[in-house]
Amino acid sequence: MSIRVGILGYGNLGRGVEASLRQNKDMELTAVFTRRNPESLKIASADVPVYGIDALETMQDQIDVLILCGGSATDLPVQTPRYASMYNVVDSFDTHAKIPQHYAAVDAAAKQSGKIGIISCGWDPGMFSLNRLYANCVLPEGQDYTFWGKGVSQGHSDAVRRIEGVKDCRQYTIPVPEAQEAVRSGSNPELTTRDKHTRECFVVAEEGADIEKIREQIVTMPNYFADYNTTVHFITEEEMKRDHSGLPHGGSVIRTGVTGLNGEHKHVIEYSLKLDSNPEFTGSVIVACARAAYRMQKEGMSGCKTIFDIAPAYLSAQSGEELRAHLL
Amino acid sequence: MSIRVGILGYGNLGRGVEASLRQNKDMELTAVFTRRNPESLKIASADVPVYGIDALETMQDQIDVLILCGGSATDLPVQTPRYASMYNVVDSFDTHAKIPQHYAAVDAAAKQSGKIGIISCGWDPGMFSLNRLYANCVLPEGQDYTFWGKGVSQGHSDAVRRIEGVKDCRQYTIPVPEAQEAVRSGSNPELTTRDKHTRECFVVAEEGADIEKIREQIVTMPNYFADYNTTVHFITEEEMKRDHSGLPHGGSVIRTGVTGLNGEHKHVIEYSLKLDSNPEFTGSVIVACARAAYRMQKEGMSGCKTIFDIAPAYLSAQSGEELRAHLL
């Protein structure tokens, strides 16, 4: 019997999860839940029902794992503990500074219900975190570096869109190749924010807007752009649609370190991602974690887990024998 | 209290484990065990005793984890099950085809003793296997590629040393850059053995040996060289010592795959290692696994495990709270 999955929230991430479920034959999408009027929502899986969020109060016997596709700012801090009290749940909570308190809330709820709640799944936090952890365990004397991009940052794109006279924006975060090469060489460079990444904005301005004023407001914006070298390009709506409609992303986690009685041997561990679709890749990580949540709870575990707490074999549809024979 | 570790076998790998233990403050080297005359063996840690292998029969109350540093051909198939009946053990068994039977033997012994036996730790099998597994879980529709090198292959170096007239040899395995680039592009190339790697041999010949005959015997050697493009250089003993005394290695595991309702988005996941010392890096992975073995057994688990069965947090000296706060 398949693992029966529900999705709460049908934005980019919800659609990514939906697409990923079709690639995993041991799982099936049972229903999509929404805070909108369910009749107004048309989903890609025509045969799957859409319900209002209230239906979740009574569907415990039909859903094995509920995947929460809301935002980290206001949705998940409420939703994940709430639904962990009824279901195995998985989320992609990504506000790094608030992970400890989110963990505590989900842990309490999931321990009481006897369910599993896996938080912060995706690639950062997620696969990148995992690679930082493994690399730190193997090379305790060393240094970590994370580069993001080239890819679209939704937060930075939104920040530019809030500037007066801006109709649309797509912001790309770009790692500086020289900084990456210096890190890979094992020279342990000290790198400032500006050294590591540049930012590039493609902006559609409203007719008659003051282009130079917009540019100035972008490059001096505190937190978002002031600490970076930023390039701003003004383009037409047609160019935006034609050249910038995707959501690519990626990056790399690098740890350099030494071994030997006198630290005489250098090592470089690098994990890198090149993703055509950030939400679909994130959705794929979440779906693998949903499988793990289901199996861990079946074995009697409960409480909040992160990717650090999941024995890798739980993520795979293959048996231990198959994994040892083919992937070890 | 520190985790008390024993090492059986003091070759390159045993010395790598010894060096790694010094970098891990929660662990200590309690003793080295050898099949040789223990009085003839001088180890780097002057304050640590060396015992004959028979001492292992009665030291269960002094050793928390025994690390087995013998060879996969004849040592480990006997030693790992044998000592799993008395100790938590970790090995780096790397004969891929025989892993299932090795697993079964260690599992039976460790289940009976209530101990943990972790097999096949290192980087391949080990960290590379782990990255194959994670990438397969996240991108179920895709293709795996593994490249090794640039690095010294001990097996190939030994094979050349057995040729008449050869005094010494160091063989380097080198990935073909064009093949790597084709894989990274996501074009899913079909690659033959010859397409993926070249081999380079540095040979010290005995005086008066027939150089051309040696070259011919190397490049046509079945299994080892016949399927590769191989370059052979003849050098002096001094050059060998000066330029080829290290044991560097590395490589990369790449998975390319697609997501989306119609497989329309491509993704590339790459994990790569650049290692100055193969045995020291392998030793470092083993030491992290020894920590996991100790902690898993303390929690009541037993039996044979591989890196696939270890929740990553067990490998780290840090607490769950610390890991979530700093690495997630």
Side-chain angles (χ1 to χ4, degrees):
Chain A
M1 204 176 92
S2 299
I3 302 172
R4 301 165 303 171
V5 177
I7 294 174
L8 172 57
Y10 195 72
N12 284 330
L13 183 58
R15 284 192 290 272
V17 169
E18 177 185 30
S20 172
L21 286 169
R22 296 196 190 181
Q23 294 184 316
N24 288 278
K25 303 306 169 214
D26 60 328
M27 312 181 85
E28 61 180 82
L29 177 58
T30 301
V32 169
F33 300 88
T34 179
R35 284 177 300 194
R36 295 181 254 174
N37 172 4
E39 273 151 41
S40 71
L41 182 61
K42 193 154 165 55
I43 67 171
S45 307
D47 52 335
V48 171
V50 179
Y51 298 120
I53 190 168
D54 293 342
L56 281 169
E57 303 301 315
T58 56
M59 285 186 65
Q60 286 86 334
D61 60 341
Q62 292 168 63
I63 303 279
D64 295 314
V65 189
L66 179 65
I67 296 179
L68 304 170
C69 298
S72 296
T74 56
D75 299 334
L76 299 177
V78 177
Q79 289 176 354
T80 313
R82 170 168 181 75
Y83 294 108
S85 71
M86 312 179 207
Y87 297 91
N88 295 312
V89 295
V90 182
D91 79 17
S92 62
F93 185 80
D94 66 357
T95 312
H96 283 82
K98 294 190 177 162
I99 286 174
Q101 82 193 62
H102 189 57
Y103 179 91
V106 176
D107 196 47
K111 282 226 173 89
Q112 185 146 30
S113 64
K115 302 290 185 182
I116 292 275
I118 304 181
I119 61 165
S120 303
C121 303
W123 58 276
D124 196 6
M127 301 310 295
F128 272 19
S129 323
L130 206 45
N131 277 279
R132 284 189 281 264
L133 173 55
Y134 280 120
N136 273 267
C137 294
V138 174
L139 295 177
E141 294 179 14
Q143 205 160 336
D144 292 309
Y145 299 88
T146 302
F147 291 95
W148 293 274
K150 182 180 178 173
V152 173
S153 162
Q154 307 265 34
H156 286 76
S157 301
D158 290 343
V160 174
R161 280 192 208 104
R162 288 191 291 264
I163 294 174
E164 206 191 311
V166 170
K167 228 170 155 175
D168 198 3
C169 173
R170 199 73 80 256
Q171 194 271 182
Y172 294 89
T173 306
I174 306 167
V176 175
E178 293 77 15
Q180 288 182 302
E181 284 317 308
V183 167
R184 288 184 186 122
S185 77
S187 69
N188 276 3
E190 290 285 336
L191 298 168
T192 64
T193 297
R194 195 178 298 273
D195 292 335
K196 288 176 69 187
H197 297 92
T198 55
R199 298 193 177 280
E200 192 169 17
C201 299
F202 292 86
V203 176
V204 179
E206 281 168 9
E207 229 182 280
D210 183 340
I211 297 292
E212 278 317 307
K213 196 175 154 196
I214 291 173
R215 187 193 309 273
E216 186 63 21
Q217 282 181 276
I218 293 174
V219 302
T220 60
M221 193 187 295
N223 301 320
Y224 286 89
F225 293 98
D227 298 334
Y228 298 84
N229 294 333
T230 303
T231 316
V232 182
H233 308 277
F234 290 91
I235 60 173
T236 64
E237 279 193 276
E238 293 67 43
E239 287 170 323
M240 178 66 81
K241 203 172 166 184
R242 188 190 66 204
D243 302 333
H244 305 284
S245 60
L247 291 169
H249 218 314
S252 52
V253 170
I254 304 175
R255 185 169 175 86
T256 59
V258 295
T259 63
L261 294 173
N262 304 298
E264 64 272 33
H265 292 124
K266 281 195 214 175
H267 306 276
V268 182
I269 305 176
E270 176 165 359
Y271 177 80
S272 69
L273 296 175
K274 221 175 77 192
L275 313 177
D276 271 3
S277 166
N278 184 353
E280 287 177 6
F281 188 83
T282 301
S284 298
V285 176
I286 289 175
V287 165
C289 289
R291 176 185 292 120
Y294 173 77
R295 294 167 69 183
M296 292 167 80
Q297 196 252 348
K298 270 218 142 177
E299 290 189 9
M301 298 180 222
S302 67
C304 188
K305 308 287 174 190
T306 74
I307 194 86
F308 294 164
D309 307 308
I310 303 172
Y314 283 116
L315 299 167
S316 172
Q318 292 183 57
S319 70
E321 291 75 21
E322 288 172 308
L323 295 178
R324 286 190 292 277
H326 303 127
L327 293 176
L328 196 63
Chain B
M1 203 176 92
S2 299
I3 301 171
R4 301 165 303 172
V5 176
I7 293 174
L8 173 57
Y10 195 72
N12 284 330
L13 183 59
R15 283 191 290 271
V17 169
E18 178 185 29
S20 171
L21 285 169
R22 296 196 189 181
Q23 295 184 315
N24 289 278
K25 302 307 170 211
D26 60 328
M27 312 181 86
E28 62 179 82
L29 178 58
T30 301
V32 169
F33 300 88
T34 178
R35 283 177 299 195
R36 294 181 256 174
N37 173 3
E39 274 151 42
S40 71
L41 182 62
K42 196 155 163 54
I43 67 171
S45 307
D47 53 335
V48 171
V50 178
Y51 298 121
I53 189 168
D54 293 342
L56 280 170
E57 302 301 315
T58 57
M59 286 187 66
Q60 287 87 335
D61 60 342
Q62 292 167 65
I63 304 278
D64 295 314
V65 188
L66 180 65
I67 296 178
L68 305 170
C69 298
S72 297
T74 56
D75 298 335
L76 298 177
V78 177
Q79 290 177 353
T80 314
R82 170 169 181 76
Y83 294 108
S85 72
M86 312 179 207
Y87 297 92
N88 295 313
V89 294
V90 182
D91 78 16
S92 61
F93 185 80
D94 67 357
T95 312
H96 283 81
K98 293 188 177 163
I99 286 175
Q101 83 194 60
H102 189 57
Y103 179 93
V106 176
D107 195 48
K111 283 227 173 88
Q112 185 145 30
S113 64
K115 301 290 185 183
I116 292 276
I118 304 182
I119 61 165
S120 302
C121 303
W123 57 276
D124 197 4
M127 300 311 294
F128 271 19
S129 322
L130 206 44
N131 277 279
R132 283 189 281 263
L133 174 54
Y134 280 120
N136 273 267
C137 294
V138 174
L139 295 177
E141 293 179 15
Q143 205 159 337
D144 292 311
Y145 298 87
T146 303
F147 291 94
W148 293 275
K150 183 180 175 175
V152 173
S153 162
Q154 307 266 35
H156 287 76
S157 301
D158 289 343
V160 173
R161 280 192 208 103
R162 287 191 292 265
I163 294 173
E164 207 191 311
V166 171
K167 229 172 156 173
D168 199 3
C169 172
R170 200 74 81 256
Q171 194 272 180
Y172 294 89
T173 306
I174 305 167
V176 175
E178 292 76 16
Q180 288 181 301
E181 285 316 309
V183 167
R184 288 184 187 122
S185 77
S187 70
N188 277 1
E190 289 285 335
L191 298 167
T192 65
T193 298
R194 193 178 300 271
D195 292 334
K196 288 177 68 186
H197 297 91
T198 54
R199 299 193 177 278
E200 192 168 16
C201 298
F202 293 85
V203 176
V204 180
E206 282 169 8
E207 229 183 279
D210 183 341
I211 297 291
E212 278 316 308
K213 198 176 152 195
I214 291 174
R215 187 193 309 271
E216 186 62 22
Q217 282 182 275
I218 294 173
V219 302
T220 60
M221 195 187 293
N223 302 319
Y224 286 88
F225 294 98
D227 298 333
Y228 298 85
N229 292 334
T230 302
T231 316
V232 182
H233 308 276
F234 289 91
I235 61 173
T236 65
E237 278 193 278
E238 292 68 43
E239 288 170 321
M240 178 65 81
K241 204 172 167 184
R242 188 190 66 204
D243 303 332
H244 305 283
S245 59
L247 291 170
H249 219 313
S252 51
V253 170
I254 305 174
R255 185 168 175 87
T256 59
V258 295
T259 63
L261 294 174
N262 303 299
E264 63 271 33
H265 292 124
K266 280 195 212 176
H267 306 276
V268 183
I269 303 175
E270 176 164 0
Y271 177 80
S272 70
L273 296 174
K274 220 175 77 191
L275 312 175
D276 271 5
S277 167
N278 184 354
E280 287 178 7
F281 187 84
T282 302
S284 298
V285 176
I286 289 175
V287 165
C289 290
R291 177 184 291 119
Y294 172 76
R295 294 167 70 182
M296 291 167 81
Q297 197 252 346
K298 270 217 142 178
E299 291 190 9
M301 298 179 223
S302 67
C304 188
K305 308 286 175 190
T306 74
I307 195 84
F308 295 163
D309 307 307
I310 303 173
Y314 283 116
L315 299 166
S316 173
Q318 294 184 55
S319 70
E321 290 75 20
E322 289 172 306
L323 295 177
R324 284 190 294 276
H326 303 126
L327 293 175
L328 195 64

